[in-house]
Amino acid sequence: MNAIDVLTQVVEVLIAIAVAPLYLGWVNQCRAWLQNRNAPPLLQTYRLIRKLLHKDAVLATHASPIFRGVPYVLFGTMVLVAAIIPTISVDLPFGRVADAIALVGLFATARVAIALAAMDIGTAFGSLGARREMLIGFLAEPALLMVFFTTSLLVGSTALPATVAALVQHELAIYPSLAFAAVAFLMVLLAENARIPIDNPATHLELTMIHEAMVLEYSARHLALIEWASALKLFNYACIGFALFVPWGIAGGDAPVTALLPATVLLAAKLLVAGSGLALIETVSAKLRIFRAPEFLATAFLLAVLGMLIRLLLGS
């Protein structure tokens, strides 16, 4: 590990923290355009976070230190995840010490933390949202692990930097196992980030909401950190997808420092395309009933398993 690796790591984390709200704003703007509505400003998420940071926090009467500490845990966990995922370079000190399984563990840590905070104050909505969130996580995590295992079979490692470095050297071709894994990953991304068809972040209906039900009691700086962490989670999932399925453009281990600039430009292009695609999927999809969510995620798990079996049996 040298100074350039540390500098690259710092730059990558700063990019994630700074760009995540912009990426969420881009998705919301594309979604509004596709639905023929007046689009919110691209910087709307920044304005929301700034407004919340300037307000005084109001806490529930029976809130424990868990309730107050969870927003910081959420934000810190998502920053740590961003440090592991190779987005502009594979030479990351954090990426060498944590593999894809640790990544799933960090996402699970954040999920358990927000569920505990939701139940901590004892409201009906909080407990309802926590139970639904744990149901989604219980079904989504195995599918995500299967996606990682499928790609690890292709390259022989569960470390994301090693996966990216190996995939970049492969010739551009369609691998059936990766195609199944990519579809499964997209379904997990929608479920894990409270997007349609599993959840709708724009509504506060009791029958449909999952994530919003857990954060109704938060305000001010606590809610600002939660909103920022949600944007970071969406950004991290998008970057995991780039690393596993479109890794081309990410600077390799022996690449010069100057390679980081074109890698950053290419990352921005990928985010623009992925954000518009995500908005299109949400626009043409209908919100599923909560009882249909297990079927949706079971399909994702099945597709991921099919991808792994194709790799094991056919080697393609």
Side-chain angles (χ1 to χ4, degrees), residues 50-99:
R50 184 172 65 96
K51 183 180 74 174
L52 290 171
L53 288 175
H54 283 82
K55 290 188 173 183
D56 293 328
V58 177
L59 295 173
T61 305
H62 304 292
S64 74
I66 293 176
F67 185 81
R68 292 191 291 272
V70 161
Y72 302 96
V73 174
L74 277 183
F75 187 78
T77 305
M78 290 304 123
V79 171
L80 189 55
V81 169
I84 296 173
I85 304 167
T87 53
I88 59 174
S89 173
V90 298
D91 261 342
L92 301 174
F94 276 98
R96 297 171 192 156
V97 298
D99 61 0

Side-chain angles (χ1 to χ4, degrees), residues 9 77 80-86 90 92-109 144-145 147-149 151-153 155-164 240 243-244:
Q9 179 77 82
T77 305
L80 189 55
V81 169
I84 296 173
I85 304 167
V90 298
L92 301 174
F94 276 98
R96 297 171 192 156
V97 298
D99 61 0
I101 299 174
L103 205 63
V104 177
L106 287 171
F107 282 125
T109 302
L144 184 59
L145 278 173
V147 170
F148 283 133
F149 290 155
T151 54
S152 68
L153 287 175
V155 302
S157 173
T158 56
L160 283 180
T163 302
V164 173
I240 291 174
L244 295 181

Side-chain angles (χ1 to χ4, degrees), residues 114-310:
I114 189 65
L116 286 175
M119 292 186 291
D120 180 65
I121 49 178
T123 62
F125 270 120
S127 300
L128 177 144
R131 289 197 299 271
R132 290 178 176 178
E133 178 70 14
M134 296 309 292
L135 171 66
I136 298 298
F138 174 75
L139 297 167
E141 285 168 8
L144 184 59
L145 278 173
M146 282 298 161
V147 170
F148 283 133
F149 290 155
T150 302
T151 54
S152 68
L153 287 175
L154 199 65
V155 302
S157 173
T158 56
L160 283 180
T163 302
V164 173
L167 287 175
V168 166
Q169 294 176 357
H170 277 69
E171 59 182 9
L172 187 58
I174 296 177
Y175 294 91
S177 56
L178 281 185
F180 277 104
V183 176
F185 177 78
L186 177 61
M187 297 171 76
V188 172
L189 181 149
L190 293 172
E192 288 277 45
N193 290 277
R195 315 299 303 189
I196 293 175
I198 296 297
D199 196 4
N200 187 354
T203 66
H204 287 78
L205 299 176
E206 177 187 353
L207 293 177
T208 61
M209 64 180 176
I210 300 175
H211 177 75
E212 290 299 316
M214 296 188 293
V215 302
L216 281 178
E217 298 297 326
Y218 278 109
S219 62
R221 63 181 181 278
H222 297 135
L223 185 56
L225 284 175
I226 290 173
E227 294 292 340
W228 207 339
S230 298
L232 264 172
K233 186 177 182 181
L234 180 62
F235 178 88
N236 288 335
Y237 262 89
C239 290
I240 291 174
F242 300 152
L244 295 181
F245 306 112
V246 280
W248 298 278
I250 298 176
D254 53 352
V257 180
T258 52
L260 296 181
L261 181 59
T264 306
V265 174
L266 197 55
L267 172 64
K270 291 177 184 176
L271 288 172
L272 286 174
V273 174
S276 55
L278 179 59
L280 178 62
I281 291 172
E282 288 196 273
T283 302
V284 300
S285 302
K287 171 76 175 64
L288 290 175
R289 293 177 62 196
I290 187 68
F291 303 109
R292 299 289 303 276
E295 297 176 16
F296 182 84
L297 289 168
T299 304
F301 179 77
L302 179 61
L303 290 173
V305 171
L306 280 176
M308 189 172 66
L309 290 177
I310 288 172

